[in-house]
Each structure stands twice: as C-alpha cells, then as structure tokens.
Amino acid sequence: MPENTVTTPLAPMDPQDVADAFAYIRALQAGDIDTACAVADDTGPELHRLLLDVAARVFIPITAADDHDGEPCAHSFLAAALGRLLLELLCHGACLANAPGIADTITRFTDSILTDEHGDVADVLRQLEAAGMKQAMEAHPAHRTTA
C-alpha cells in the first residue's frame, strides 16, 4: 500500500504558522472580515499552505477510521479516502482552493463532524488550535516563551 497521510504522521507545524492559520479561520468564522484580511495581508501567499496544513490535521485523523479487530476493513479505507479526497478538493478544486474556501471548509467540517449538537464551533476551533500549538511547541522548543 502506498504511503499517505494516514500511514505517515504529519510533521508538526511551526507555532507561528498555527497561530496565523487559526487566527484567519476563527476571524472568518466570526464574520470579522477586517481581522481576516489583516491576517491574510500579514501572512501573505503562505496562508494558503498554512490552511492546507491545518485542514490535513483536522480531516485526516477524523477520517482515519480504526481497524476492525486489528485488520483494515473496507470502511477504514473508504473513510481515509474521503479525507484525502476532501484535501484534494481544497488543493485543486476551483471554487474551494482559495484561503476563504479552505477556512470555510474547515469550519463547516468542524461544525458538522466535530461539534456536538449544541456545541460551539468557535470553542472546538480553539481546542484544535491548542492541540496544534501544543504539538508545534513540543517539536519547536526554541519558540517557547517564558511567562
């Protein structure tokens, strides 16, 4: 089986990249276009890659279904393929492959899949950011600040 993001762990993002990507996503989710534009201006063309990195970290672990009795089953392959297909659409789909489209897809996925019926999408996005930041800080200890 060829290696993919399900079988190969994703390298941790840089802490500043995590902060920039989630600042943009959360600003758009909150309807704060001015802040989203400011983040996009500050981040520049790199924002597109950062959002795709976040999307991979949100979609792949959720769609990588557990094996059945230690053996991969049709459903685990189907779920993993769905996650990869969603990422492919974000990379190359004409209507989704821009920063607002990627951020909106992450927010909608979070709302539909990761948020409880009466949960708060913004809260789940903050939790995802905190998890990404924790992983980034562990991988890049030079970025740690003292409080």
Side-chain angles (χ1 to χ4, degrees):
M1 176 167 68
E3 285 194 339
N4 57 47
T5 52
V6 175
T7 59
T8 305
L10 297 166
M13 293 175 70
D14 182 81
Q16 187 59 51
D17 292 347
V18 173
D20 291 342
F22 275 98
Y24 183 81
I25 294 165
R26 287 187 290 109
L28 280 185
Q29 189 271 328
D32 185 353
I33 302 304
D34 291 339
T35 299
C37 288
V39 172
D41 287 346
D42 290 345
T43 307
E46 192 70 8
L47 180 61
H48 185 262
R49 181 191 61 78
L50 301 181
L51 292 171
L52 290 174
D53 283 352
V54 167
R57 285 160 178 73
V58 172
F59 303 155
I60 295 300
I62 300 305
T63 59
D66 292 334
D67 297 338
H68 180 69
D69 294 329
E71 293 295 322
C73 65
H75 293 107
S76 60
F77 288 118
L78 178 62
L82 178 63
R84 288 190 307 275
L85 177 62
L86 186 53
L87 283 174
E88 185 69 21
L89 283 171
L90 292 179
C91 290
H92 304 292
C95 60
L96 297 177
N98 56 48
I102 297 168
D104 185 53
T105 302
I106 292 168
T107 299
R108 293 167 113 201
F109 184 88
T110 300
D111 185 27
S112 298
I113 306 297
L114 302 177
T115 305
D116 293 335
E117 187 175 325
H118 301 290
D120 180 14
V121 175
D123 185 49
V124 175
L125 288 171
R126 283 189 292 276
Q127 292 173 30
L128 290 169
E129 179 180 14
M133 188 60 76
K134 179 178 185 258
Q135 182 187 37
M137 296 301 281
E138 288 171 354
H140 303 280
H143 290 277
R144 290 189 178 139
T145 57
T146 56

